[in-house]
């Protein structure tokens, strides 16, 4: 009974237990010693490949008569045409089709396929290459020339087409034709390799003079140091020493101020060395060292030292290169040890020699000259001696402990109570970060905030902690920052921006409220703008309006009124309506909403105009600008706008003259200025004119009676 009850019809009336797969128990390996014959993975793969069954391929079709051949060709062409119709832009299909036609020896059809392919994508240079190779392979030389000519005409910037075309002509022995193609190519001013290929081509046929002319054109087209050096080496290879020297001299005249001029001078000097002209080479080195900036003359200096070592004595090297300059610097620092620019030059000289102990000695002597007065302007140049010393120890000497000591001594020396340098604190902290000593960096930055807080230090410290993801530390740092500088609008804005990025909108709003409540701010307009933009981004339009009203209680600036009006004109997202309403109802809802926005914007403009008319009548220019903005906004509203509302209030521009006074109170002539006459002012002016005319008439009647 139990068996029939548990039987499952979907399993053929068998129980679940009957259908379970019983796997054999895993056998335990008792002998874990390695087998005497080891089998490698390579052997297993080889055996598997040997025992693999042969691949099943379709039988080969044998064509016995012309009818079958015609049917086969018709079928294949239909397949290719259908495939092309589906994937017209696939060049691989076109190539296969053309090659198949070629295999059938139907070259006209093959050409037709290639031409159709080129109509689809003539910019694909692969098609041109394949097309021309087919013509060349089947010895249709004129056809191939035609293809190459069209290819280089349409795609002159594809170097491969030119190379293949020239190679074909050269293989055919048509040297004049190949030269003509090269000339066509050179008109397009190709890269250096194209010119060098042309030169090699001429040299293959011993046309040295032609190659020389091409080199002349080459250096005009590519006026670079490398091209001039190649030209000079060519002349040297031809045994023309005077010509080579002439080339180098021309190059120096044209490229003496080039960034790569150092390479040119080195090559010129080495050329003179090979010609056994050591004095010429020495003069070239000295000329180069005088004209090339020191920062770019490292390789040149090294070559000069090597040259002097080879052709001069050791004392001569030191006396000529280092000794003279060292003597000059020692003399100057003895006269004025506080001239830090001389110390920098002296240190740079010693660093170029590369003697670490001597470099350290000069650095120690330089930093011992502490400025006598504790004023920052005297220390600004001096502090860079410490910075360079620390960077030298870290980057050149590689002594990290000594670098740490340099930073420590520098920070101990600076009188932080009177002034400080944020750069030193930040460099010391960044050095500790590079050494993966995060606690040391935090300690340095913490000391900086405690002893000499600066904007740069706070910003960098916050940036480091933000990269590490320590949000609580960032908040504490912002609080310290704002305790130190509560008027800093940048800090308030960035703090609120941080909270906004964490979706802590209430915290961000509270920070903005605290910020605008501060009695003094350095850039309040930026802070208010950031707060307003924040509320707009949150979709809180009522809060935004309240903010604008609070801002207008503090300032009635023109930009505030305009910004408020523009906000009201664009605040259409307060009520998006019921999402289930019909399209027509939704459009009508949007239309009504837009009308309300326009009404609110007009109320703001009218309020602003009333303020300027009653409370600030002297600000006529601001009032006129406000009316222009209102007019532009009404125009932008399209059919909903009413331009006539504003046009009736627009003022007239009047050119007037007024007397100007100099600084001592005397008259300095007259100047023109623009005045604005508003409609209500013009009515008052007309009444005054009528009243004056009435008085004049009355006086005239009295005089006539007498």
């Amino acid at each position: 009974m139990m068996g029939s009850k548990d039987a499952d019809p979907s399993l053929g009336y068998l129980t679940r237990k009957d259908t379970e797969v019983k796997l054999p128990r895993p056998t335990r390996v008792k002998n874990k010693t390695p087998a005497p014959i080891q089998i490698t993975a390579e052997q297993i793969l080889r055996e598997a490949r040997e025992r693999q069954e042969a691949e099943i391929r379709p039988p080969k079709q044998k064509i016995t008569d012309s009818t079958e051949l015609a049917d086969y060709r018709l079928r294949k062409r239909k397949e290719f045409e259908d495939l092309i119709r589906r994937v017209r832009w696939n060049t691989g299909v076109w190539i296969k089709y053309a090659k198949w036609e070629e295999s059938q020896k139907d070259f006209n059809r093959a050409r037709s396929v290639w031409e159709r392919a080129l109509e689809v994508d003539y910019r694909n240079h692969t098609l041109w290459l394949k097309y021309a190779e087919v013509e060349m392979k089947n010895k249709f030389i004129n056809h191939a020339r035609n293809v190459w000519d069209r290819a280089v005409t349409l795609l002159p910037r594809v170097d491969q087409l030119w190379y293949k075309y020239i190679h074909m002509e050269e293989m055919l022995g048509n040297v004049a034709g190949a030269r003509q193609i090269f000339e066509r190519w050179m008109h397009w001013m190709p890269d250096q390799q194209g010119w060098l290929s042309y030169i090699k081509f001429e040299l293959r046929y011993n046309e040295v003079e032609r190659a020389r002319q091409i080199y002349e054109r080459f250096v005009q087209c590519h006026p670079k140091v490398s091209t001039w050096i190649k030209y000079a080496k060519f002349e040297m290879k031809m045994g023309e020493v005077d010509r080579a020297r002439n080339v180098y001299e021309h190059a120096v005249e044209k490229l003496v101020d080039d960034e790569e001029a150092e390479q040119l001078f080195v090559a010129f000097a080495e050329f003179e060395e090979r010609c056994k002209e050591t004095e010429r080479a020495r003069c070239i080195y000295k000329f180069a060292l005088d004209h090339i900036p020191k920062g770019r003359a490292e390789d040149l200096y090294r070559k000069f030292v090597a040259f002097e070592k080879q052709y001069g004595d050791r004392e001569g090297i030191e006396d000529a290169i280092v000794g003279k300059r060292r003597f000059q610097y020692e003399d100057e620092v003895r006269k004025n040890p506080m001239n830090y620019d001389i110390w920098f030059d002296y240190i740079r000289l010693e660093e170029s020699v590369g003697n670490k102990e001597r470099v350290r000695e000069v650095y120690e002597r330089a930093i011992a000259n502490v400025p006598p007065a504790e004023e920052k302007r005297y220390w600004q140049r001096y502090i860079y001696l410490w910075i360079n010393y620390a960077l030298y120890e870290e980057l050149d000497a590689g002594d990290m402990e000594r670098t740490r000591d340099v930073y420590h001594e520098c920070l101990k020396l600076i009188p932080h109570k009177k002034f400080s340098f944020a750069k030193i604190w930040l460099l010391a902290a960044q050095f500790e970060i590079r050494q993966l000593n995060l606690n040391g960096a935090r300690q340095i930055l913490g000391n900086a905030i405690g002893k000499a807080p600066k904007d740069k230090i706070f910003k960098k410290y916050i940036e480091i902690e933000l990269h590490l993801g320590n949000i609580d530390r960032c908040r504490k740092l912002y609080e310290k920052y704002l305790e130190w500088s509560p008027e800093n609008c940048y800090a308030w804005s960035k703090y609120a921006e941080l909270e906004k990025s964490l979706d802590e909108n209430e915290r961000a709003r509270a920070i903005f409220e605290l910020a605008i409540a501060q009695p003094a701010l350095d850039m309040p307009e930026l802070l208010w703008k950031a707060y307003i933009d924040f509320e707009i981004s949150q979709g809180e339009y009522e809060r935004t309006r309240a903010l604008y009203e609070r801002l207008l209680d503090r300032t009635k600036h023109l930009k505030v009124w305009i910004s408020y009006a523009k906000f009201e004109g664009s605040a259409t997202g307060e009520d998006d309506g019921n999402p289930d309403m019909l399209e027509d109802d939704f459009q009508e809802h949007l239309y009504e909403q837009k009308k309300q926005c326009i009404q609110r914007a007009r109320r703001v403009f009218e309020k602003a105009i009333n303020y300027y008319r009653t409370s600030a009548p002297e600000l006529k220019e601001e009032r006129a600008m406000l009316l222009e903005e209102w007019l532009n906004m009404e125009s932008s509203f399209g059919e909903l706008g009413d331009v006539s509302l504003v046009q009736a209030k627009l003022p007239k521009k009047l050119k007037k003259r007024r007397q100007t006074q100099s600084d001592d109170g005397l008259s300095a002539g007259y100047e023109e200025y623009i005045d604005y006459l508003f409609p209500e002012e013009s009515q008052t002016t007309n009444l005054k004119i009528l009243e004056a005319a009435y008085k004049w008439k009355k006086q005239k009647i009295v005089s006539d009676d007498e």
Side-chain angles (χ1 to χ4, degrees), residues 307-338:
F307 169 80
E308 288 291 349
K309 284 180 181 178
Q310 187 175 356
Y311 296 102
D313 54 356
R314 185 164 185 171
E315 290 77 17
I317 299 167
E318 292 195 6
D319 290 342
I321 301 167
V322 180
K324 188 176 179 182
R325 290 191 183 181
R326 188 179 285 145
F327 177 80
Q328 290 173 350
Y329 289 138
E330 286 289 347
D331 186 47
E332 288 178 8
V333 297
R334 187 172 61 252
K335 290 176 184 174
N336 184 8
M338 297 298 173

Side-chain angles (χ1 to χ4, degrees), residues 259-422:
E259 289 185 0
E260 297 177 352
E262 180 190 4
Q263 297 175 18
L264 177 63
F265 284 115
V266 169
F268 194 3
E270 287 176 348
F271 159 76
E272 295 292 359
E273 282 181 55
R274 283 194 294 273
C275 296
K276 308 298 182 185
E277 295 282 354
T278 53
E279 284 304 317
R280 280 178 175 271
R282 188 175 281 109
C283 290
I284 290 163
Y285 276 124
K286 288 181 179 178
F287 178 83
L289 287 169
D290 290 338
H291 285 79
I292 293 178
K294 294 175 184 176
R296 297 208 308 259
E298 294 177 6
D299 188 47
L300 186 69
Y301 182 80
R302 190 168 60 252
K303 295 275 186 182
F304 186 31
V305 171
F307 169 80
E308 288 291 349
K309 284 180 181 178
Q310 187 175 356
Y311 296 102
D313 54 356
R314 185 164 185 171
E315 290 77 17
I317 299 167
E318 292 195 6
D319 290 342
I321 301 167
V322 180
K324 188 176 179 182
R325 290 191 183 181
R326 188 179 285 145
F327 177 80
Q328 290 173 350
Y329 289 138
E330 286 289 347
D331 186 47
E332 288 178 8
V333 297
R334 187 172 61 252
K335 290 176 184 174
N336 184 8
M338 297 298 173
N339 189 344
Y340 300 120
D341 290 326
I342 300 298
W343 283 110
F344 284 121
D345 292 338
Y346 193 3
I347 289 163
R348 199 175 296 119
L349 171 68
E350 295 297 344
E351 284 180 352
S352 65
V353 175
N355 188 338
K356 289 184 183 179
E357 293 304 317
R358 190 161 184 86
V359 172
R360 283 173 179 153
E361 179 192 345
V362 178
Y363 266 121
E364 291 293 339
R365 286 172 58 197
I367 61 177
N369 297 294
V370 182
E374 290 185 346
E375 289 182 29
K376 191 168 184 177
R377 60 196 176 99
Y378 297 118
W379 286 65
Q380 282 176 334
R381 197 81 180 121
Y382 167 74
I383 209 69
Y384 278 92
L385 288 170
W386 285 97
I387 292 171
N388 289 358
Y389 191 8
L391 293 174
Y392 170 79
E393 290 293 350
E394 182 186 358
L395 302 175
D396 293 347
D399 192 342
M400 302 307 160
E401 285 302 318
R402 200 176 178 93
T403 308
R404 191 172 282 114
D405 292 340
V406 170
Y407 279 124
H408 179 69
E409 290 299 322
C410 178
L411 290 170
K412 194 160 65 173
L413 181 68
I414 297 169
H416 297 293
K417 290 183 180 178
K418 294 190 176 180
F419 60 86
S420 186
F421 294 91

Side-chain angles (χ1 to χ4, degrees), residues 537-679:
S537 67
Q538 299 299 316
E540 296 285 347
Y541 293 107
E542 287 301 322
R543 286 179 182 273
T544 308
R545 287 191 188 96
L547 273 176
Y548 270 116
E549 292 295 336
R550 287 166 65 188
L551 181 56
L552 286 170
D553 289 339
R554 297 193 179 198
T555 176
K556 297 289 195 296
H557 196 276
L558 173 68
K559 288 185 179 178
V560 178
W561 289 110
I562 292 171
S563 176
Y564 190 8
K566 284 182 177 177
F567 159 72
E568 290 292 3
S570 61
T572 57
E574 291 180 89
D575 181 15
D576 293 331
N578 187 0
D580 298 328
M581 66 172 59
L582 296 173
E583 181 68 21
D584 293 339
D585 294 338
F586 183 71
Q587 291 296 331
E588 188 176 349
H589 173 75
L590 286 177
Y591 183 80
E592 289 297 324
Q593 201 173 25
K594 187 66 179 176
K595 283 175 68 176
Q596 291 174 11
C597 290
I598 294 168
Q599 292 298 328
R600 286 196 293 267
R602 283 174 182 159
R603 281 198 291 272
V604 172
F605 275 120
E606 286 169 358
K607 188 176 176 183
I609 295 297
N610 287 335
Y611 164 76
Y612 281 115
R613 186 171 58 243
T614 57
S615 301
E618 70 279 1
L619 301 176
K620 291 185 176 183
E621 190 172 355
E622 284 80 354
R623 184 177 168 190
M625 289 168 67
L626 188 69
L627 285 166
E628 283 181 14
E629 284 291 334
W630 190 1
L631 184 65
N632 293 337
M633 187 174 282
E634 291 290 345
S635 302
S636 66
F637 288 147
E639 61 182 12
L640 292 176
D642 189 358
V643 180
S644 59
L645 279 175
V646 190
Q647 286 176 341
K649 299 179 181 181
L650 287 174
K652 292 180 181 177
K653 286 186 179 180
L654 302 174
K655 265 191 182 179
K656 292 187 177 181
R657 295 176 67 196
R658 61 187 170 198
Q659 192 173 6
T660 58
Q661 291 184 344
S662 59
D663 295 336
D664 52 2
L666 299 173
S667 176
Y670 292 86
E671 66 172 5
E672 285 189 354
Y673 70 100
I674 300 294
D675 196 8
Y676 296 91
L677 188 66
F678 290 90

